[in-house]
Amino acid sequence: MSDKLKIGIIGCGGIAEGKHLPSLAHQSSRAEMVAFCDLIPERAEKAAKQYGTPDARVYTDYRELLAEKEIEVVHVLTPNVSHCELTVAALEAGKHVMCEKPMAATTSDAQKMLDAQKKSGKLLTIGYQNRYRQDSQVLKKMCEAGRLGEIYYARAQAIRRRGVPTWGVFPNKALQGGGPLIDIGTHTLDLTLWMMDNYEPYSVMGASFEKLGRLLKPGEQGNGFTPWDNEDYQVEDSAFGFVTMKNGAVIVVETSWALNILDVGEAKTTLCGTKAGADMNDGLRINHIVFDKQTVTKPETTTPSGVAFFEGAAVMNESDFECTVWLDAVQGKGELLVKPEQAFVVTRILDAIYESARTGKAVYFKE
């Protein structure tokens, strides 16, 4: 491995510009971006000029980027349905891969990625940055310490009243595989499963609705972003799942981009255990009984000393924290926080919710 990790970027759109490229730039002492690929050459050229090395190469064909032997790490930052093809090809080319969430659009694609990772011996992680938030880190430590007891009921909530993304390809089912469930629901389900440390689903019932997205025209949408094109709206605007785990625990999944509701919030989880409960509805809150009294405690989720949750580093945002942990793992200095086997279960459950919504029948997982 070279003194500086050589990194290739596949996909130079919004998630690259808003998250990965700035965070990698903050790691310039040990990593450099040497190649950029995008179907729109101007986007790759812009990213290369702003974030790349002076001699950074630009491609429109990912195969040419993967053929560069000096590249050790690849970030796959493209629409959901292409994650499998690109990640498998990168692993087969001997690269470590950071793939944006979700792992894949279908269970079968996620399985191919998992198989390719195991065969290659390279590292694969998925971009679930909400695990790296400070409130998430505090709650995870509490769960690991048994402060909540056995967690047997949870809500995974990613609800927007009006928050249909109108950039990129979000409403395009062929490229994304779905709407809010696969877009923002994937984050909250990942967070919930991680807190519970439970990755053994037994059955899923699901329902999805294509109501407001196709009904409301510009001028009557009240969208938080620019108006969406209701005639070209191809995905669900809300979806819900009821997941039973093999140990009997239950998870309710609630997701929407557009829903007439005031109880909104994203990437948050509610956990109910035998000793206490927790939610993220007003910061991190722990509900428990103290001296026979119902009590709510709000743990401090920022460290007064400025020291974060790993030794020797200052407090940083979740994207920078995610990037630090990822590069540490690549360089053999630490473990992955998001393991591909865990991300596979998230995709498996999301896929089952869509299947159940489509068929009207429960989906049961084989042993």
Side-chain angles (χ1 to χ4, degrees), residues 194-206:
W194 184 54
M195 295 299 177
M196 298 174 74
D197 192 25
N198 190 343
Y199 290 91
E200 296 188 336
Y202 173 71
S203 67
V204 167
M205 277 294 297

Side-chain angles (χ1 to χ4, degrees), residues 302-308 313-315:
T302 58
T303 48
S305 64
V307 178
V315 172

Side-chain angles (χ1 to χ4, degrees), residues 193 197-203 243-249 251 345 348-349 365-367:
L193 294 171
D197 192 25
N198 190 343
Y199 290 91
E200 296 188 336
Y202 173 71
S203 67
V243 185
T244 302
M245 309 302 285
K246 288 181 180 178
N247 70 345
I251 302 171
V345 176
R348 196 180 185 200
I349 291 174
F365 297 96
K366 298 179 180 178
E367 296 295 334

